[in-house]
Amino acid sequence: MKPHPAKVTPAALKALLGDSLYSGVVRHFVLTTGEEPAYVERRLLECLRYLYLLSCYPQQLVGLFLPVEQAIDEVWHYLILQTREYRELCEERLPGRFFIHHRSLPYEDYQQGQPNRERMLEEALRWLPLYREEFGPFDEGALPHWTMVRFLHQRMGLSLEEIAALEAEEPASAPPGAERAC
């Protein structure tokens, strides 16, 4: 398998927020969680990756349950509360240039709405190749933040290299314009 270098670097993602907002988010979560700044920065980075993917691949991902950890959702909530900056992030800085709405949906509710387990797995795995395409393969630092990747690694015994090699099956009826939006 050929390597997948990152197209979007951590520095480019950090620049999406600007130094002031980036450091303010990190400071807030260091103070409220007691976690180390490096860990909080990684959480923020993975949240920005999540938002970037939603912005870049709306046809493939918007409306799907993307299994990130609750801590990522908390960072997203905090960003949303910075209303002006969040709107600018979505509409002016992220590649899709549209406002990304947040809707909380408990996993149990999502699971009940799914016709079968196979479809749920297909949807959960759809974003793996997109992440790899934009940011390179998952590394150890990403594992605490992405539920499905951690499950595949720890419970299913897949190496990070094997996870990087996973490809999503194309949905039976891909929507028109389902290619990359950015």
Side-chain angles (χ1 to χ4, degrees):
M1 183 178 102
K2 69 179 187 176
H4 287 87
K7 290 181 182 177
V8 183
T9 66
L13 289 168
K14 181 179 177 179
L16 292 173
L17 290 185
D19 290 336
S20 178
L21 181 56
Y22 183 91
S23 61
V25 172
V26 171
R27 187 172 41 257
H28 170 78
F29 282 98
V30 166
L31 291 172
T32 59
T33 66
E35 293 167 341
E36 293 295 319
Y39 186 80
V40 172
E41 285 191 54
R42 185 58 187 257
R43 180 188 305 165
L44 177 54
L45 175 67
E46 296 305 327
C47 180
L48 290 170
R49 285 176 170 168
Y50 173 80
L51 292 172
Y52 189 96
L53 289 176
L54 287 175
S55 180
C56 196
Y57 298 96
Q59 295 294 325
Q60 294 97 319
L61 299 178
V62 170
L64 294 183
F65 182 79
L66 297 181
V68 291
E69 290 297 308
Q70 180 66 33
I72 298 294
D73 195 50
E74 290 169 8
V75 172
W76 188 9
H77 286 215
Y78 186 81
L79 289 173
I80 290 169
L81 292 175
Q82 316 319 304
T83 55
R84 181 182 36 170
E85 292 89 348
Y86 180 72
R87 180 169 298 285
E88 288 172 3
L89 171 68
C90 291
E91 296 177 352
E92 297 174 19
R93 297 187 183 128
L94 286 170
R97 306 271 194 249
F98 64 90
F99 190 84
I100 300 173
H101 292 275
H102 182 282
R103 179 173 179 256
S104 294
L105 180 65
Y107 180 71
E108 294 78 22
D109 293 349
Y110 171 78
Q111 202 172 25
Q112 288 175 356
Q114 290 300 305
N116 61 43
R117 187 176 213 127
E118 183 177 299
R119 179 167 172 205
M120 193 166 85
L121 182 59
E122 180 272 322
E123 286 188 5
L125 293 176
R126 195 178 303 172
W127 55 269
L128 287 171
L130 302 177
Y131 183 105
R132 180 192 64 226
E133 181 69 23
E134 297 301 326
F135 314 117
F138 284 95
D139 60 22
E140 290 286 337
L143 287 177
H145 308 290
W146 295 85
T147 309
M148 178 59 74
V149 176
R150 194 175 63 254
F151 172 80
L152 291 170
H153 185 64
Q154 294 175 349
R155 297 276 178 99
M156 300 302 293
L158 295 176
S159 69
L160 291 173
E161 293 79 22
E162 290 169 320
I163 293 170
L166 292 174
E167 294 292 336
E169 290 184 23
E170 291 298 318
S173 57
E179 62 278 344
R180 186 173 190 251
C182 46

